[in-house]
Amino acid sequence: MPAKSSAPDNINPAIVNWTGPLGLPEFAAIEAGDFAAAFAAALPVHLAEIEAIAASPEAPTFENTIVALEQTGELLTRASNIFWNLTGAHTNDALQELERKLSPELSRHYSAIQMNRALFGRVDALYQKRASLGLDAEAGRVLELTWKSFVRAGAELGADDQAQLAATSERLAALGTAFSQNVLADESDYALVLEAGDDLAGLPDSLLSSMQAAAAERGAEGKHAVTLSRSIIEPFLTFSERRDLREKAFKSWVARGEGAGERDNRPIVAETVKLRAEKAALLGFESFAHFKLDNTMAKTPENVAALLNTMWAKARTRAREEVADLAQLIVAEGKNHAVAPWDWRHYSEKARAARYDLNAAEVKPYLQLEKMIEGAFDTATKLFGVRFKAHGGASAYHPDVRVFEVLDAGGKRIAIFLADYFARPSKHSGAWMSEYQEQHKLVMDSDASGTPGKSGQTPIVVNVMNFAKAPAGQPVLITMDDARTLFHEFGHALHGMLSDVTYPSISGTSVSRDFVELPSQLYEHWLTVPAVLQRFAVHHQTGEAIPEALLAKMRAAEKFNKGFTNVEFTASALVDMAFHSLSPEQAANIDPMEFQADVLAGLDMPDEIVMRHATPHFAHVFAGDGYSAGYYSYMWSGVLDADAFRAFDEAGDAFDSATAEKLLRHIYSTGGSADPEDAYKAFRGKLPSPDALLEKEGLA
Ligand SMILES: [Zn+2]
């Protein structure tokens, strides 16, 4: 059994013993300066636990090797989960400095474990005789995934190659951290402060309120600021009548990560692409994309290309038609310029208003953040029987963070949900779900809190978003895109909170990257279910439900502008794949911007649209390798979610209980305990073709 990881006494006990309300960490008792000592203590404790397993005189068994591995590192996990959640959602100089130091150090730490020959010898011995071990399906899957993760980390390589691989991974970790910190710095430094009057032409009241709050936060009381948070920049580009200001703000937005000097992400990308290609070659793969895709649903770059190219051709054709529409509107206004990228949102909103008699400003008064949160919760209650109880007494790492208890139908607490909705300079952009504690059912005899024999744990899940605040006393109104983001991230949160597995390593969202967007994207479908909007999209002043006529117009416009959205997404996905399909020789000396331009030229990218994420701020792909050769995952999961929601359509009820029960059993609660293809087939009978997605996007 692993050595006990009792907390060393020179570290802040608040990092180890989570004694806050509901078992949360006592955040107020933790300071940035505490983490260095916590990690310094946790790493050797973890290594000692690993060494005890590797050096065991007993013959390897599933219990004494695989289960024992699952039980190690609790102290490190606790320190890491607090630390990395804070560096994402509420960072500061001290945390960033430690992050730069820690990311390569942790890479080294995990390489040492996964390259431990004695340990891998035990895992491999079990794996080779897996059929005769009498394991149940979940345990068998954990053994297989554990073995594979060792092999993919270089366990079978010779000593020299292992040393080179470890050094490469360490450097890559440092580069990912630098990339991410540079983007954050460019984003939080930027504000285009506007004067009253003509500067604000065309901007609706709700956006003006948000811009006023953003200006105040930056010390420009009484003025209005355009920031690079999507909740502000996108509506600004949509509504501003000032073409010069749109151009100015747009150019700053798309140039994040590209400034010369210390914050330049271009050399970071060049080195990252080169090292990833070398890493893949060391592990015996043709390219980094081949390496990454080897353990996904898509399996090969060819399968990814087939999906992306199908979408690209159709989306580009549609986008060309959309350009023609927008150009006409510009002419009709008596102007004679071409459609530039900073014109697209503006004229596309006008085109939508003209064609469907629908504009975003008309919808927004009905989209109160508070009511949309209620709608997301209520949907989960209807589908899965879970309820959410606000816990006013519990505070988290920032005053804006809300804490909820999640209860099952019988009133038993099954999870804690933290919700952190608003943008601030200390937070990275985007939206995400993450965990402080993952669900599992193992007995952790190394329980760091000192409670012996604690059996399993309930998940503590967080949603982080970047909505714009309203000035004090006013309701926060969000856009339809924001509401979709809210439902998306809440779908991920449910995937973590409804997880019902035995082993930590396959808990919740620990699934194939191109499967993980299924629970989140599928959840977005419920936002536009008429019964949900009728009940939760109520006017912030009159309290009236959104009118049926407006809903009908929204439905009619559902497939509008899909050329644009699919071109901007697919271009990013194709550039990601191109970077990661290079051999080490091809990747040795690239200029990332030139490479990106070449790929886009080869695709015949429309001039009027830019990539959703240009390379220097493409954090999905370069701030760590999470979605590298993996940005396509949204579209892969998109095929699944388009088909999955049809199960409810076919049942004739968006909340059909039999379908919801199957969805819970096979998708939301299974984590990685089943192969994703098998899980999907268990829910739906068979795998879908891309037709479901093309139809949903109006591109069939
Ligand atoms: Zn997602």
Side-chain angles (χ1 to χ4, degrees):
M1 294 308 285
K4 302 266 189 252
S5 68
S6 56
D9 24 320
N10 57 339
I11 71 176
N12 181 349
I15 293 177
V16 190
N17 305 317
W18 294 6
T19 55
L22 306 175
L24 287 170
E26 197 88 73
F27 287 102
I30 301 171
E31 283 174 23
D34 296 335
F35 286 104
F39 280 101
L43 291 175
V45 169
H46 188 211
L47 280 184
E49 291 169 352
I50 296 291
E51 202 38 55
I53 299 169
S56 166
E58 293 167 31
T61 63
F62 183 77
E63 282 294 320
N64 75 17
T65 303
I66 304 299
V67 177
L69 274 174
E70 294 275 329
Q71 291 170 316
T72 62
E74 211 182 0
L75 177 58
L76 178 56
T77 301
R78 288 195 168 209
S80 294
N81 287 355
I82 302 177
F83 180 75
W84 294 109
N85 274 299
L86 288 181
T87 58
H90 193 40
T91 194
N92 58 40
D93 289 346
L95 289 175
Q96 289 202 323
E97 192 188 331
L98 183 57
E99 187 185 11
R100 289 192 292 274
K101 185 170 160 286
L102 266 181
S103 54
E105 199 174 323
L106 286 171
S107 171
R108 207 155 56 228
H109 175 79
Y110 287 108
S111 286
I113 292 170
Q114 295 192 291
M115 292 173 183
N116 180 318
R117 290 200 189 279
L119 181 61
F120 179 64
R122 296 175 73 85
V123 173
D124 191 44
L126 292 168
Y127 179 74
Q128 299 308 336
K129 56 177 184 186
R130 59 195 178 283
S132 65
L133 296 176
L135 300 176
D136 65 26
E138 188 181 338
R141 179 127 171 107
V142 170
L143 172 55
E144 186 191 331
L145 291 172
T146 305
W147 181 83
K148 195 157 188 183
S149 81
F150 272 84
V151 173
R152 285 173 60 79
E156 290 181 319
L157 298 182
D160 288 352
D161 283 351
Q162 280 193 342
Q164 198 189 331
L165 182 63
T168 302
S169 299
E170 189 179 330
R171 178 67 187 151
L172 281 168
L175 291 169
T177 298
F179 184 97
S180 151
Q181 292 191 354
N182 287 344
V183 175
L184 176 63
D186 278 3
E187 283 169 353
S188 48
D189 278 5
Y190 183 85
L192 175 60
V193 177
L194 302 182
E195 301 298 329
D198 197 37
D199 276 8
L200 309 178
L203 306 182
D205 287 347
S206 59
L207 175 59
L208 288 172
S209 301
S210 303
M211 287 169 60
Q212 216 175 347
E217 202 170 28
R218 286 160 177 80
E221 207 74 47
K223 299 199 172 175
H224 295 83
V226 182
T227 67
L228 301 182
S229 157
R230 260 186 203 275
S231 295
I232 288 186
I233 184 81
E234 288 203 309
F236 179 78
L237 293 169
T238 303
F239 294 109
S240 174
E241 290 290 343
R242 284 282 300 271
R243 188 166 195 246
D244 58 331
L245 294 178
R246 291 203 310 267
E247 177 175 357
K248 195 170 172 190
F250 182 89
K251 285 184 168 165
S252 305
W253 188 36
V254 300
R256 288 167 292 150
E258 214 180 314
E262 276 194 356
R263 283 193 205 161
D264 191 349
N265 272 341
R266 291 169 295 184
I268 292 178
V269 169
E271 191 180 349
T272 299
V273 170
K274 170 179 171 282
L275 292 178
R276 283 178 179 167
E278 288 173 9
K279 176 174 173 164
L282 273 171
L283 290 163
F285 289 88
E286 205 176 305
S287 73
F288 190 73
H290 286 87
F291 165 68
K292 273 303 287 283
L293 293 166
D294 184 52
N295 70 346
T296 61
M297 283 186 91
K299 295 192 174 64
T300 66
E302 292 71 27
N303 291 336
V304 172
L307 176 63
L308 292 179
N309 292 335
T310 300
M311 178 55 90
W312 178 252
K314 289 175 183 289
R316 196 185 43 178
T317 304
R318 177 61 49 82
R320 299 244 189 265
E321 297 162 10
E322 292 167 358
V323 172
D325 275 2
L326 305 189
Q328 264 183 10
L329 276 178
I330 293 173
V331 172
E333 283 188 0
K335 295 171 182 159
N336 66 351
H337 60 79
V339 181
W342 47 91
D343 295 321
W344 192 291
R345 287 172 178 80
H346 185 71
Y347 286 98
S348 137
E349 176 64 17
K350 286 182 170 170
R352 190 170 68 149
R355 183 170 307 167
Y356 301 96
D357 186 24
L358 172 70
N359 61 67
E362 189 185 0
V363 177
K364 198 159 180 175
Y366 294 94
L367 299 177
Q368 300 172 64
L369 173 63
E370 298 307 319
K371 297 299 288 183
M372 289 296 116
I373 295 167
E374 258 183 61
F377 286 175
D378 185 72
T379 296
T381 306
K382 287 211 178 77
L383 290 171
F384 307 125
V386 290
R387 288 179 301 115
F388 299 82
K389 199 170 118 196
H391 199 288
S395 62
Y397 54 90
H398 186 277
D400 285 349
V401 182
R402 308 168 191 199
V403 180
F404 298 88
E405 258 186 286
V406 186
L407 309 170
D408 69 9
K412 187 175 141 243
R413 186 201 299 161
I414 58 158
I416 308 298
F417 177 58
L418 307 183
D420 183 358
Y421 293 118
F422 298 116
R424 55 177 168 263
S426 64
K427 191 192 272 188
H428 286 258
S429 65
W432 64 92
M433 165 274 193
S434 164
E435 292 180 306
Y436 279 85
Q437 183 168 289
E438 63 201 352
Q439 180 274 336
H440 70 74
K441 295 183 211 162
L442 279 189
V443 175
M444 303 300 261
D445 68 347
S446 58
D447 177 25
S449 70
T451 319
K454 185 186 69 164
S455 180
Q457 61 188 21
T458 51
I460 302 175
V461 170
V462 61
N463 267 177
V464 183
M465 267 151 259
N466 272 285
F467 299 145
K469 269 190 181 175
Q474 292 183 30
V476 177
L477 299 177
I478 59 178
T479 63
M480 204 59 193
D481 281 347
D482 289 339
R484 214 166 271 124
T485 300
L486 180 81
F487 272 64
H488 178 105
E489 296 308 332
F490 194 64
H492 281 309
L494 288 169
H495 198 194
M497 297 191 289
L498 299 172
S499 174
D500 186 18
V501 300
T502 302
Y503 304 96
S505 66
I506 52 162
S507 181
T509 54
S510 301
V511 296
S512 174
R513 184 63 67 177
D514 48 12
F515 186 73
V516 82
E517 298 300 330
L518 168 61
S520 53
Q521 293 181 165
L522 178 58
Y523 209 72
E524 294 176 35
H525 289 255
W526 277 280
L527 169 64
T528 49
V529 164
V532 173
L533 284 175
Q534 278 154 2
R535 184 154 160 227
F536 297 100
V538 297
H539 196 282
H540 71 101
Q541 282 161 329
T542 65
E544 273 169 47
I546 190 162
E548 180 50 46
L550 187 50
L551 280 182
K553 289 192 273 182
M554 287 164 71
R555 267 196 301 278
E558 244 163 28
K559 291 171 179 145
F560 177 72
N561 204 38
K562 290 295 190 179
F564 172 85
T565 53
N566 283 293
V567 160
E568 67 162 1
F569 173 87
T570 311
S572 283
L574 286 163
V575 168
D576 166 33
M577 289 306 294
F579 270 121
H580 296 109
S581 297
L582 301 174
S583 69
E585 296 72 34
Q586 292 166 325
N589 240 324
I590 57 159
D591 175 331
M593 300 314 284
E594 219 171 86
F595 183 83
Q596 174 186 298
D598 286 350
V599 173
L600 294 177
L603 290 168
D604 198 9
M605 175 81 172
D607 294 337
E608 301 83 359
I609 304 176
V610 300
M611 293 163 70
R612 185 166 172 86
H613 308 281
T615 299
H617 53 263
F618 201 170
H620 283 87
V621 170
F622 293 112
D625 72 0
Y627 284 81
S628 55
Y631 194 63
Y632 79 90
S633 297
Y634 293 92
M635 192 169 282
W636 192 274
S637 291
V639 172
L640 300 176
D641 78 67
D643 176 69
F645 194 73
R646 284 182 175 181
F648 289 91
D649 286 339
E650 288 160 15
D653 177 1
F655 296 98
D656 178 67
S657 59
T659 311
E661 196 277 327
K662 271 170 91 175
L663 183 63
L664 173 63
R665 184 147 39 102
H666 299 300
I667 307 289
Y668 281 88
S669 71
T670 43
S673 66
D675 175 83
E677 266 191 42
D678 296 342
Y680 192 82
K681 285 190 209 152
F683 168 61
R684 195 68 177 119
K686 61 176 174 50
L687 288 176
S689 79
D691 296 352
L693 176 65
L694 292 171
E695 202 167 299
K696 176 177 162 242
E697 297 297 295
L699 298 171

